[in-house]
Amino acid sequence: SQTIHQWPATLVQPVGSPLSLECTVEGTSNPNLYWYRQAAGRGLQLLFYSVGIGQISSEVPQNLSASRPQDRQFILSSKKLLLSDSGFYLCAWSPLTDTQYFGPGTRLTVL
Amino acid sequence: AQSVAQPEDQVNVAEGNPLTVKCTYSVSGNPYLFWYVQYPNRGLQFLLKYITGDNLVKGSYGFEAEFNKSQTSFHLKKPSALVSDSALYFCAVSRGRDMRFGAGTRLTVKP
């Protein structure tokens, strides 16, 4: 069966520091991968999605970037964090264009 | 572009009573519709989906949803609510890999 992992689970970072969040998927090949941000426990905002290694699409301009160095690895990064980057970051995968399955999330607090 | 609306921020029901969480959608063509549940500080869990076929879809944990094309609705239902059903529920619509989520409805089931 497929499993999706995210780490770290929680992170507290100062403003201006770099960020790296990692997401890995097990038990499937060539999944579509997604990064979402959820603010205040409500709606989800799609940040990035990827259909293959090195193929990243950005939904909104922002202080973040994403990379997919391996088939089942998706990384969310920032060079300098802003206060507004705080939130709950969710990674998801899907088999082609079907149901998305979510990881456990990373709670990021920028102080 | 596709979208979903969840008209209720909060739904309160008594344990043992039936529950309904409402969702309406807007999409050109045939929709793929989904329901997810989120417990505090967790990722979203897939409950059920409608792609085609029977308008009544059965999912996990006793939940079901009814697709109504004329009313463009996809309401989530459960005949008898449990306290453990208390969570945040998201409706979503997708076309290809583009999935759009509603703002979420917080369900509280009181003993």
Side-chain angles (χ1 to χ4, degrees):
Chain A
S1 63
Q2 299 83 13
T3 309
I4 180 168
H5 303 279
Q6 286 186 245
W7 64 88
T10 60
L11 191 60
V12 180
Q13 292 284 94
V15 170
S17 64
L19 173 74
S20 181
L21 303 181
E22 189 165 344
C23 171
T24 59
V25 182
E26 296 177 354
T28 188
S29 297
N30 196 30
N32 288 343
L33 295 172
Y34 308 82
W35 277 112
Y36 291 88
R37 177 168 58 204
Q38 184 180 28
R42 281 290 178 165
L44 278 72
Q45 179 187 34
L46 179 62
L47 302 176
F48 301 95
Y49 69 88
S50 172
V51 299
I53 296 173
Q55 301 178 62
I56 310 295
S57 296
S58 174
E59 283 293 300
V60 293
Q62 60 211 320
N63 186 42
L64 302 168
S65 62
S67 62
R68 185 171 177 173
Q70 300 180 43
D71 181 45
R72 290 168 289 177
Q73 184 185 32
F74 205 22
I75 297 172
L76 184 69
S77 303
S78 173
K79 292 182 179 178
K80 289 186 178 182
L81 283 169
L82 306 173
L83 287 174
S84 57
D85 292 324
S86 293
F88 193 49
Y89 287 83
L90 291 161
C91 181
W93 76 274
S94 72
L96 297 178
T97 59
D98 208 311
T99 308
Q100 292 187 22
Y101 298 94
F102 286 79
T106 295
R107 173 77 57 192
L108 172 66
T109 303
V110 183
L111 301 175
Chain B
Q2 68 265 23
S3 65
V4 291
Q6 294 181 244
E8 301 158 316
D9 286 343
Q10 176 86 35
V11 171
N12 297 314
V13 298
E15 187 176 28
N17 283 0
L19 70 86
T20 300
V21 183
K22 296 179 180 178
C23 173
T24 59
Y25 67 89
S26 174
V27 64
S28 57
N30 295 323
Y32 287 17
L33 295 162
F34 303 81
W35 276 102
Y36 289 84
V37 60
Q38 185 180 32
Y39 296 98
N41 295 310
R42 300 289 184 89
L44 276 67
Q45 293 180 32
F46 168 71
L47 282 178
L48 52 81
K49 67 180 177 185
Y50 172 84
I51 304 295
T52 187
D54 194 348
N55 288 344
L56 185 64
V57 180
K58 294 189 182 297
S60 305
Y61 312 120
F63 284 94
E64 58 188 26
E66 186 170 10
F67 171 69
N68 188 317
K69 188 172 183 177
S70 63
Q71 297 184 5
T72 61
S73 67
F74 189 56
H75 301 331
L76 181 70
K77 300 180 180 183
K78 187 173 182 180
S80 179
L82 300 173
V83 173
S84 58
D85 293 329
S86 299
L88 187 58
Y89 289 81
F90 290 97
C91 181
V93 62
S94 77
R95 291 277 290 170
R97 55 179 168 263
D98 186 10
M99 182 175 281
R100 302 289 167 168
F101 290 84
T105 298
R106 190 166 302 282
L107 172 68
T108 300
V109 181
K110 298 181 178 178

